[in-house]
Amino acid sequence: MRRQKRIFVIVIDSLGIGVMPDGERFGDIEVNTLGHISESVEDFQIPTLQKLGLANLTPLRQVPEVARPLGYQAVLKEKSNGKDTMTGHWEIMGIETRKPFKTFTEHGFPKELIGELEKRTGHKVIGNKSASGTEIIEELGEEEIATGHMIVYTSADSVMQICGNEETFGLEELYRCCKIARELTMREEWRVGRVIARPYIGKKKGEFERTSNRHDYALKPPMRTALDVLQDHGFDVISVGKIRDIFDGEGITKAYKSKSSIHGMEQTNEIAGKDFHGLCFVNLVDFDAKWGHRRDPEGYAKELEQFDKGLSVLLETLREDDLLIITADHGNDPTYIGTDHTREKVPFLAYSKSMEGGGRLSEQDTFAVIGATILDNFGLSMPEGTIGASLLGELK
């Protein structure tokens, strides 16, 4: 296959396709996000993903394999020690994370950290437990509005999330508090991957609604990634969704913030209609945040069907010198116990209108084949200390 002018990488956040060999070490046994979604619903229509060979990677009850799928398919294993968003995305672009981020799911954040946060921000902390964002706002939103206290919570991921009512707490004050929290959680014993501002509106229970003014304060990648190399050599690196936050802006030349996964695909299709030279890197988070963590396989299935429709538009819009790669960053089996991510393999689907061949590639031992393939396409090499070998020579 000739080298392409534009590459689109779409991360369907949490779309795992089967447990990793070391899944039991992470508490994950016989998990399969996509497979179990298919088993849990009666109707499941994803014709575009089917044509690209997604069902050829893991059996789906309603979606048969196709004999001659469009493009190439592979299963990717995660080499890093973790199963969170940042670890998965960083690995896609070449970083192997050996020391996992801290989680505080069982008991909330330590009293020493909370004490420092209260002292530095001037707000008393309420909550401090693992919770659903929408549920904890319903539980404590009225108290926060009445007292000026600050809702802090975590999840199964390595995050500290802070809620603030936009009308009473104030958006800028919420961001200020989150910046202080990010500074505090740089300490090794409190090191979380992200501090997330979670603004909401409403005056009482039943009326509260989170807004799109969320902001993630992430750790910077510990080394240069494929994104930095692209930027250094003058290529466009366009991010859609929370990609910019995950990489703390490193290597990004232009960022689009999405209100939802459907909106993210609309933005991607709009970008595909414009001219650029380089990478469009997309994260579609609703699969994970709305359906995986909330253990809702039916909602997940419907979201995938909506994505499939947007994907069909993208395939029509793609040019002869475009390459599309679809993948995921971890699993989040909505039929499994708890609310945590699941340690899973992920799909690799690659398609270009200029491809002459197609079919199944061998299983790969790291997500980083994606970053390496992107750089190889543009005649560049992965930065020192990173992992990943290019698959470009196999995409013909």
Side-chain angles (χ1 to χ4, degrees):
M1 185 184 71
R2 69 187 186 192
R3 288 181 173 174
Q4 309 299 299
K5 181 181 178 182
R6 309 189 305 177
I7 297 180
F8 294 81
V9 174
I10 299 177
V11 179
I12 305 177
D13 201 307
S14 82
L15 190 70
I17 55 171
V19 68
M20 282 276 294
D22 62 355
E24 191 169 354
R25 180 167 67 88
F26 291 80
D28 300 321
I29 300 170
E30 297 182 354
V31 291
N32 186 327
T33 299
L34 181 59
H36 289 158
I37 288 168
S38 175
E39 291 176 6
S40 300
V41 297
E42 286 302 315
D43 190 45
F44 190 37
Q45 303 293 327
I46 49 171
T48 310
L49 285 166
Q50 181 186 18
K51 287 191 295 186
L52 290 170
L54 183 60
N56 293 35
L57 297 177
T58 190
L60 302 179
R61 184 166 64 90
Q62 310 89 334
V63 185
E65 292 186 27
V66 288
R68 298 186 66 182
L70 294 176
Y72 292 86
Q73 310 79 38
V75 173
L76 308 184
K77 292 190 292 188
E78 186 166 15
K79 193 167 187 178
S80 295
N81 184 17
K83 56 177 179 177
D84 61 89
T85 297
M86 286 176 62
T87 299
H89 282 78
W90 285 4
E91 182 168 324
I92 287 170
M93 290 300 158
I95 294 176
E96 179 186 359
T97 301
R98 296 176 181 174
K99 191 172 185 179
F101 298 111
K102 300 283 186 181
T103 57
F104 297 91
T105 306
E106 292 186 12
H107 305 293
F109 297 102
K111 62 180 182 180
E112 295 83 5
L113 171 55
I114 294 299
E116 281 291 314
L117 187 60
E118 290 179 333
K119 180 180 176 181
R120 293 276 303 275
T121 63
H123 295 278
K124 179 183 176 182
V125 167
I126 54 177
N128 189 26
K129 60 184 178 180
S130 179
S132 155
T134 52
E135 290 175 0
I136 203 165
I137 291 170
E138 281 295 300
E139 177 188 347
L140 299 175
E142 290 181 354
E143 180 181 348
E144 184 201 70
I145 291 169
T147 63
H149 296 339
M150 183 168 65
I151 301 171
V152 175
Y153 70 105
T154 188
S155 68
D157 211 345
S158 178
V159 293
M160 172 183 277
Q161 309 202 57
I162 302 178
C163 302
N165 188 288
E166 290 194 6
E167 298 162 314
T168 57
F169 197 92
L171 198 57
E172 291 307 314
E173 177 65 5
L174 176 61
Y175 292 162
R176 182 187 75 88
C177 294
C178 286
K179 290 176 183 176
I180 292 170
R182 176 70 280 176
E183 181 184 339
L184 291 172
T185 54
M186 294 298 288
R187 287 173 54 173
E188 186 60 34
E189 64 269 32
W190 301 337
R191 182 173 175 259
V192 296
R194 288 174 293 157
V195 174
I196 304 177
R198 287 288 198 177
Y200 67 98
I201 55 174
K203 293 182 171 59
K204 61 183 180 180
K205 289 181 179 180
E207 296 180 355
F208 295 133
E209 181 180 350
R210 293 198 293 194
T211 76
S212 61
N213 291 319
R214 161 183 171 160
H215 187 76
D216 292 35
Y217 298 83
L219 292 173
K220 286 191 180 295
M223 64 183 69
R224 287 164 50 79
T225 72
L227 303 180
D228 297 297
V229 176
L230 288 170
Q231 184 184 46
D232 289 349
H233 286 81
F235 291 99
D236 296 307
V237 184
I238 303 168
S239 73
V240 177
K242 64 179 184 178
I243 295 293
R244 190 218 167 274
D245 291 337
I246 293 168
F247 290 87
D248 198 31
E250 297 293 303
I252 305 296
T253 63
K254 187 170 185 178
Y256 291 81
K257 193 173 182 179
S258 303
K259 298 176 182 178
S260 65
S261 289
I262 292 173
H263 182 223
M265 273 306 293
E266 290 171 348
Q267 291 171 307
T268 304
N269 284 324
E270 183 179 341
I271 293 166
K274 300 176 180 179
D275 193 39
F276 70 91
H277 191 190
L279 172 68
C280 177
F281 193 10
V282 181
N283 173 275
L284 304 176
V285 71
D286 286 352
F287 299 96
D288 185 51
K290 281 191 172 182
W291 316 118
H293 284 304
R294 297 182 189 178
R295 295 300 185 249
D296 185 346
E298 290 187 0
Y300 206 131
K302 289 177 182 177
E303 190 83 29
L304 280 169
E305 290 178 335
Q306 287 298 311
F307 166 73
D308 195 271
K309 293 176 182 177
L311 181 60
S312 68
V313 175
L314 180 60
L315 260 58
E316 290 296 320
T317 309
L318 290 178
R319 304 170 183 176
E320 288 289 326
D321 54 358
D322 289 340
L323 172 64
L324 169 66
I325 296 173
I326 299 173
T327 190
D329 54 341
H330 51 72
N332 199 346
D333 189 333
T335 69
Y336 199 54
I337 56 174
T339 60
D340 197 357
H341 294 154
T342 44
R343 174 81 167 169
E344 293 185 52
K345 303 173 186 179
V346 302
F348 172 87
L349 304 176
Y351 170 71
S352 173
K353 289 182 177 179
S354 64
M355 283 177 175
E356 297 179 357
R360 182 75 173 264
L361 304 177
S362 61
E363 186 169 282
Q364 304 295 314
D365 65 0
T366 173
F367 300 172
V369 296
I370 296 173
T373 300
I374 293 167
L375 289 191
D376 189 13
N377 177 79
F378 294 110
L380 304 171
S381 299
M382 292 291 284
E384 184 178 354
T386 54
I387 60 174
S390 173
L391 297 177
L392 193 67
E394 300 186 49
L395 308 180
K396 300 175 182 178

